[in-house]
Amino acid sequence: MLSRSFIGGLTTLSLAVTVAAKGGQNQIFKRTDDASTGELHDFQVYPPVLTPSANAEGKNEYGCVVTKTLMDYDFASSYGSPYVVVMEFSLTSKGRQYDRLALMYFNSTEVWRTSTAEPTTDGIYYTYTKEMHQYLPLWKEPQKLIFDLGNIVNSEYTGILNTTLTATFFTVPDTPAAADKILPISRLLGASNESSVAVLPGEETAVSYTLPRNLKRAVVSISACGQADEEFWYQNTLSSDTDTFEDVSGALYGDGPWREVQVLIDGMLAGVSWPFPVVFTGGIVPGFWKPIVGIDAFDLREHEIDITPFIPYLSDGKPHTFDLIVVSVNDNGGEYATIANTTTDSWYVTGKIFLFEDEEGHITTGSMPVIKDPLPSLQITRAITTNSTGANETLTETTTAKRTLLITSNLKTSSGEKEVSWSQDISYENFNQLTDYGWYQSTTQKTTGTDKTGSSIGYSLSYEYPINCDWWYFESGEELGIYGNISRSLTFDVLGPAVFPNGVQASVLDTSASKGASGLSGVKETFVSASLGSSLRTSQSATASYLSDTLATTNSVYNFGSLNQTMSFQGLSYDGSVEIYTRDVGVVNNTITHDQTLFEVGK
Ligand SMILES: *[C@@H]1O[C@H](CO)[C@@H](O)[C@H](O)[C@H]1NC(C)=O
Ligand SMILES: *[C@@H]1O[C@H](CO)[C@@H](O)[C@H](O)[C@H]1NC(C)=O
Ligand SMILES: *[C@@H]1O[C@H](CO)[C@@H](O)[C@H](O)[C@H]1NC(C)=O
Ligand SMILES: *[C@@H]1O[C@H](CO)[C@@H](O)[C@H](O)[C@H]1NC(C)=O
Ligand SMILES: *[C@@H]1O[C@H](CO)[C@@H](O)[C@H](O)[C@H]1NC(C)=O
Ligand SMILES: *[C@@H]1O[C@H](CO)[C@@H](O)[C@H](O)[C@H]1NC(C)=O
Ligand SMILES: *[C@@H]1O[C@H](CO)[C@@H](O)[C@H](O)[C@H]1NC(C)=O
Ligand SMILES: *[C@@H]1O[C@H](CO)[C@@H](O)[C@H](O)[C@H]1NC(C)=O
Ligand SMILES: *[C@@H]1O[C@H](CO)[C@@H](O)[C@H](O)[C@H]1NC(C)=O
């Protein structure tokens, strides 16, 4: 948490040495070095990714295996100056530093969003392997790589981030179809060596493209996360309630706890994403995330919106506008809720359009899209209790939301006419309770959704991501304490042709020579038959506390953290589901207490 407020720029750095409490939600306090000994090996729990090794000739049984170093760079004071050159990612760092958000681009197209683990005195090390097959059309051309990792190094924050990025190119017998073209929805600043992310509100992602006229499928992906006042948006309160505890524990963050990212094509709603609450490595209580980082913290998931029903409309050879906006809750003075078409600050947003082309020369026609997009139902309740002398003592809010969206059209491709559709059905509920004059907060939230194309494409995704968090904060004289516990999970079931790899493709191959997620060994040479989809389930539960005095001179700190995580990853094939990877790992005070990994493919 603490750290993310700095993403805005250097001007806020002076806040780092003082406690700047914002209600029970202090966002910034001095980061103190851990008393841990030895280098800490951070990791995210994720299904293994195939990266084959090669023989002396740079080959394996399927063909060439070529590894290239893309980047080898020390990020010191790098705010505003992303690294530029004409993917296993490793990072080491030592000293004191915040968690940092990093965006990697090919020119103006974001290809990976990650965040860094907070270093310790004795140093940290981690490595993350990411499948990049979905960007095949970009890999086929020379690219300018822009890696924007905004770091600040000074006498207080000493952690230089020492990074290495390599890409391995290899052949496999059977790969999923990648898009033919990928277009960025971003600020398009690659040509001037800048980061193309739009920080909403204020900056815009709106781009205009004249698309090829022979499209048969198109998908927009959304990459979006909140920072600063919006990093913990699920803990934000309705704007009418932000002053509830102002006199005692400080002001709260507003715009309610619900967010929606909208994809707009010429102003028409094409799809939405109700964000997954990614928690970065310094988030809520930093002790939760050492050395196991939060779900998706090293690889922020992008939401896919199939815009195929718009193809007849987009195939007219004329320019069309693609835009992404983030909306929140307007509580109309505490009475009822409507959509507010903006947020307080700092949504880091980009998108991409993945285009799949039909035969050359064919012009796709069809009917115009019919869009059924009733406004989401948004419901709120709010209650404040006061003590006997009239001071606000507790605040309880509930926010629920539900949305359905259906877009249909007929598409005439070279292979005939078919109905295409995109539907989304999403529910959300959030309960936020602040007690003890705002020093304690309990949040319970759950988002559940299903996205589907029609059967002619055959993609569907079911997702669920609850997050429950209790945390207590106090500040007294020079002492600062935070105690918290969290339990959260992610269910992500994909069927059919997703644009982003779901991890099964990689596991389909001979894995005997694979490396990737840590802890794998003795994997047999096996092969799974054609994969239809995958099913990922992972849960984290953690408790942590932090106590320090804020005198820069003493630096005393007590840090305790414990986390358990389970993961189960299955591939779905014509023969049923196949357990591919399971992991059950626990940590207490930086030390792994148990770690059972099972990685077996199609016995
Ligand atoms: C970064 O790592 C490389 C290779 O391990 C090393 O040579 C270099 O000195 C490191 N740089 C810093 C600033 O630690
Ligand atoms: C980089 O992106 C800009 C804007 O999107 C574009 O004008 C330029 O041609 C691109 N350069 C390369 C080398 O692709
Ligand atoms: C972008 O960076 C490259 C490599 O450092 C440099 O050669 C080029 O001049 C830069 N372009 C601009 C517009 O700054
Ligand atoms: C109590 O809460 C209400 C609603 O947030 C706020 O308007 C009011 O100023 C608060 N009272 C005090 C004394 O802070
Ligand atoms: C958002 O709402 C304001 C006020 O209703 C309006 O002026 C503005 O144009 C809207 N912006 C968008 C992007 O819809
Ligand atoms: C009510 O709360 C206020 C603010 O915390 C406090 O100053 C006051 O003493 C409390 N009154 C009682 C009766 O506890
Ligand atoms: C946090 O711990 C308290 C006390 O043990 C428990 O009642 C609560 O359910 C826990 N919350 C979460 C999110 O795990
Ligand atoms: C982790 O699991 C262990 C063993 O099952 C349990 O004792 C401990 O309370 C769990 N810790 C957390 C933070 O959930
Ligand atoms: C965790 O570390 C703290 C000191 O930083 C210590 O007080 C506590 O006893 C440790 N807990 C365990 C279970 O080792």
Side-chain angles (χ1 to χ4, degrees):
M1 62 188 178
L2 325 167
S3 43
R4 309 311 309 182
S5 340
F6 294 107
I7 291 296
L10 273 164
T11 47
T12 52
L13 187 63
S14 56
L15 287 175
V17 289
T18 57
V19 175
K22 266 219 148 197
Q25 320 211 29
N26 75 305
Q27 288 303 300
I28 294 156
F29 68 88
K30 194 168 142 310
R31 160 134 174 74
T32 315
D33 297 336
D34 286 290
S36 57
T37 51
E39 191 181 63
L40 190 64
H41 185 171
D42 293 284
F43 60 97
Q44 179 181 312
V45 176
Y46 65 112
V49 173
L50 182 72
T51 33
S53 51
N55 62 21
E57 286 87 53
K59 289 188 174 141
N60 70 6
E61 62 183 296
Y62 302 117
C64 290
V65 179
V66 181
T67 299
K68 296 253 181 233
T69 299
L70 301 180
M71 181 175 85
D72 188 351
Y73 190 71
D74 298 330
F75 287 88
S77 292
S78 51
Y79 255 109
S81 53
Y83 179 52
V84 180
V85 290
V86 214
M87 269 195 35
E88 187 171 286
F89 180 74
S90 308
L91 183 147
T92 60
S93 184
K94 234 180 205 196
R96 179 182 292 177
Q97 197 50 263
Y98 287 106
D99 51 351
R100 302 290 186 189
L101 188 67
L103 285 81
M104 174 180 163
Y105 304 86
F106 284 148
N107 197 22
S108 305
T109 307
E110 182 183 334
V111 293
W112 185 32
R113 186 175 300 197
T114 183
S115 65
T116 63
E118 291 190 338
T120 61
T121 318
D122 295 321
I124 58 155
Y125 167 78
Y126 71 84
T127 183
Y128 185 83
T129 308
K130 180 172 172 65
E131 197 168 342
M132 300 290 273
H133 175 75
Q134 66 276 23
Y135 302 122
L136 201 59
L138 302 177
W139 287 112
K140 285 177 176 167
E141 289 173 1
Q143 291 292 343
K144 178 195 279 187
L145 190 157
I146 299 182
F147 201 99
D148 182 14
L149 201 176
N151 196 25
I152 297 169
V153 172
N154 57 21
S155 57
E156 181 81 16
Y157 299 94
T158 52
I160 289 170
L161 306 172
N162 192 348
T163 64
T164 309
L165 181 69
T166 59
T168 301
F169 301 85
F170 57 99
T171 320
V172 293
D174 183 22
T175 55
D180 298 295
K181 291 196 171 72
I182 301 173
L183 301 172
I185 304 177
S186 74
R187 293 175 70 217
L188 307 181
L189 298 176
S192 52
N193 293 351
E194 289 174 61
S195 184
S196 288
V197 69
V199 183
L200 308 182
E203 296 171 350
E204 280 198 7
T205 54
V207 287
S208 178
Y209 290 114
T210 302
L211 300 182
R213 302 190 67 186
N214 63 334
L215 297 180
K216 59 180 185 193
R217 189 179 179 210
V219 174
V220 168
S221 72
I222 302 169
S223 182
C225 63
Q227 299 278 276
D229 296 10
E230 292 282 320
E231 181 176 350
F232 307 100
W233 44 272
Y234 42 90
Q235 295 178 330
N236 285 18
T237 61
L238 298 166
S239 293
S240 295
D241 292 329
T242 53
D243 294 341
T244 306
F245 308 112
E246 198 174 12
D247 297 346
V248 186
S249 54
L252 304 166
Y253 294 131
D255 292 328
W258 174 82
R259 297 291 178 274
E260 174 177 85
V261 189
Q262 301 183 341
V263 179
L264 302 175
I265 299 179
D266 292 335
M268 292 178 277
L269 187 67
V272 299
S273 174
W274 291 10
F276 172 75
V278 53
V279 186
F280 297 104
T281 58
I284 306 176
V285 189
F288 287 153
W289 315 119
K290 280 173 196 176
I292 300 176
V293 304
I295 299 169
D296 288 358
F298 284 164
D299 191 3
L300 279 68
R301 208 172 282 270
E302 302 194 19
H303 202 133
E304 296 182 26
I305 305 295
D306 192 291
I307 60 162
T308 306
F310 285 88
I311 288 178
Y313 171 79
L314 295 168
S315 298
D316 59 0
K318 297 190 176 126
H320 295 282
T321 305
F322 296 82
D323 197 6
L324 301 169
I325 63 166
V326 184
V327 303
S328 61
V329 186
N330 174 10
D331 75 324
N332 290 290
E335 297 288 307
Y336 60 95
T338 55
I339 291 189
N341 68 3
T342 187
T343 59
T344 312
D345 64 16
S346 299
W347 274 83
Y348 280 56
V349 178
T350 76
K352 284 175 280 291
I353 316 171
F354 292 83
L355 300 174
F356 298 80
E357 295 178 352
D358 200 350
E359 286 170 8
E360 207 167 326
H362 178 83
I363 294 183
T364 311
T365 56
S367 64
M368 289 300 108
V370 175
I371 305 172
K372 289 191 187 136
D373 61 341
L375 284 174
S377 68
L378 265 177
Q379 242 121 44
I380 54 167
T381 66
R382 50 191 286 271
I384 291 173
T385 63
T386 56
N387 68 9
S388 60
T389 46
N392 294 329
E393 190 173 347
T394 72
L395 168 67
T396 306
E397 295 183 344
T398 61
T399 307
T400 59
K402 204 167 164 31
R403 183 194 268 282
T404 59
L405 172 74
L406 174 65
I407 303 170
T408 50
S409 73
N410 273 301
L411 199 66
K412 283 185 200 151
T413 62
S414 64
S415 57
E417 183 170 356
K418 58 191 174 181
E419 189 182 273
V420 288
S421 64
W422 173 245
S423 68
Q424 293 190 271
D425 187 346
I426 322 178
S427 310
Y428 163 95
E429 54 195 39
N430 176 288
F431 170 83
N432 258 313
Q433 184 164 54
L434 288 99
T435 54
D436 194 19
Y437 308 94
W439 296 112
Y440 173 85
Q441 180 165 7
S442 178
T443 304
T444 306
Q445 176 173 295
K446 185 153 109 177
T447 308
T448 308
T450 307
D451 300 348
K452 277 185 182 156
T453 65
S455 57
S456 57
I457 292 173
Y459 165 82
S460 83
L461 172 68
S462 298
Y463 43 96
E464 183 169 289
Y465 26 89
I467 180 165
N468 303 328
C469 176
D470 288 292
W471 75 298
W472 175 70
Y473 164 71
F474 80 89
E475 203 198 322
S476 139
E478 259 107 33
E479 274 198 333
L480 167 73
I482 320 176
Y483 164 81
N485 55 356
I486 188 167
S487 63
R488 59 197 301 233
S489 65
L490 171 67
T491 298
F492 197 84
D493 293 342
V494 196
L495 284 176
V499 167
F500 283 82
N502 55 26
V504 174
Q505 290 88 347
S507 309
V508 162
L509 294 159
D510 171 3
T511 47
S512 57
S514 75
K515 53 191 172 77
S518 54
L520 304 180
S521 64
V523 178
K524 291 186 209 132
E525 279 196 29
T526 46
F527 211 99
V528 168
S529 60
S531 167
L532 301 177
S534 67
S535 174
L536 176 74
R537 280 174 177 48
T538 189
S539 306
Q540 291 186 318
S541 74
T543 167
S545 42
Y546 180 92
L547 183 67
S548 78
D549 68 58
T550 56
L551 283 174
T553 44
T554 20
N555 243 3
S556 91
V557 66
Y558 166 89
N559 228 331
F560 167 78
S562 171
L563 178 140
N564 291 331
Q565 181 164 8
T566 57
M567 174 171 279
S568 145
F569 179 68
Q570 299 186 333
L572 307 178
S573 74
Y574 291 104
D575 309 329
S577 66
V578 182
E579 193 78 70
I580 293 176
Y581 179 73
T582 63
R583 191 158 182 187
D584 182 353
V585 56
V587 56
V588 176
N589 268 2
N590 294 355
T591 304
I592 304 284
T593 51
H594 64 276
D595 188 0
Q596 277 136 20
T597 301
L598 182 78
F599 179 42
E600 279 183 288
V601 182
K603 286 205 247 189

